[in-house]
Amino acid sequence: MSEIAAPTRAAALERLAAFAPRIGRAYAAGRNLDPGPGARRDVSLLSPHIRHRLLTEQEVVAAALHRHGLPAAEKFIQEVFWRTYWKGWLEMRPSVWARFTQERDRALADPPPGYETALRGETGITCFDAWMEELRATGWLHNHARMWFASIWIFTLRLPWVLGADAFLRHLLDADAASNTLSWRWVAGMQTRGKHYVARAENIARCTNGRFDPRGQLDEDPAPLDDGPPPAPLPLALPARAPDGPALLLLHEDDLHPESLDLGAARIVAVAGVAVPQARSPLGCAPGAAAFAEAALDDALARAGAHFAVPAHRVAVPDVAALAAESGARGVVMPHAPVGWTATALAPLGAALAARGIALHAVRRDWDSLCWPHATKGFFAFRERIPGFCAALVRSPRAP
């Protein structure tokens, strides 16, 4: 049974409150240890909820600061900002996502020997096979296990990294384009050129409390992969403002906390929601991951309908323009969709709305507008700004 809380904001808030006492020193001491399903006490298990913004990064960081302060909660807060950093980095380099999908699609068309065996968890490497089984069963893996898994996939099994990243995209409840793609590139040695992550049997045995010990089974001296220098960052588009007057609010799986969106003078007359988890891959999406995303959207639609006192429905992307026109909206406002499959699916929407005389406004949160422009180099340069980000974004820390 999955340890992950239900895909609702209420369940996420309950889980955050329960974990808050451990966000400080307990998390810092135990975050790299994976004692296995049912025994994890020092990781929050909230990544799926933060990824879909059932909880916002801002309120999670505020809860950590309120309970522990920045020095004690530094490691936990840095992990929240890692996801922000990855998103900003990819937002300014969308060609990296495009290249991944192209290479992934070519590899899926002619998968190499050993690929299906790895997906079935039948490699004979006990730890890897156990993680594959856990991934399929629960849609979640400990972060350290993800790194070990990716390293073994790339360097021991010698399988294309893009196929491993695709397997994660299809199964993880918290999968997003930036964190997934760039983390796999980092393990391979392409994100920070020449610096790869190598899974070592001693580290696995120690950090799993002896559950696994793959001595003699791993390539522990591989060369990193090289993909050449990354593209230079492109300027971020200026954030849009919500329209004045009647508007349809469009929700999607990248941001499901409509109550905290800055909608300016817009008057919400209807709410629609789209979820396209099957667009993650040519192979679609695992049932558990798809169900989590769709249920999270349904939870957000119910909250938005109640908050704005208007009808709220899930719709297909091609039907958004007609619904907006029927509702009398002069504009459609939605939270910004970062680079990834949802943004790709929504890309035709602007032209469809314009044909009906309706403008599309993608609202970017202050959190992203402040942080993303600084994701131009490595994370450690970004990390130095975290205290300033906290001061600017969480002026009066309080638990949600």
Side-chain angles (χ1 to χ4, degrees), residues 55-138:
L55 294 175
T56 69
E57 298 92 336
Q58 188 164 345
E59 66 184 332
V60 172
V61 169
L65 291 172
H66 174 76
R67 187 68 183 246
H68 299 277
L70 186 56
E74 180 180 34
K75 290 298 183 182
F76 180 86
I77 290 171
Q78 284 178 4
E79 289 303 310
V80 177
F81 275 99
W82 259 110
R83 185 175 293 272
T84 297
Y85 167 76
W86 283 139
K87 283 184 177 291
W89 195 97
L90 192 63
E91 196 73 8
M92 291 186 282
R93 301 166 182 85
S95 63
V96 173
W97 169 253
R99 183 172 178 181
F100 158 70
T101 59
Q102 292 162 5
E103 293 182 6
R104 182 267 316 271
D105 294 355
R106 286 196 295 268
L108 284 174
D110 186 21
Y115 169 64
E116 294 293 344
T117 299
L119 286 185
R120 292 193 301 268
E122 297 174 355
T123 67
I125 303 173
T126 303
C127 57
F128 181 93
D129 294 344
W131 295 324
M132 190 71 242
E133 180 180 355
E134 184 179 356
L135 176 64
R136 290 199 311 263
T138 71

Side-chain angles (χ1 to χ4, degrees), residues 20 41 56 92 139-140 155 165 173 183 190 199 202 212 214 244 282 379 392:
R41 300 177 63 239
T56 69
M92 291 186 282
W140 193 86
F155 299 121
L173 305 182
S183 293
M190 299 185 301
E202 181 278 331
F212 304 115
D244 295 340
F379 177 74

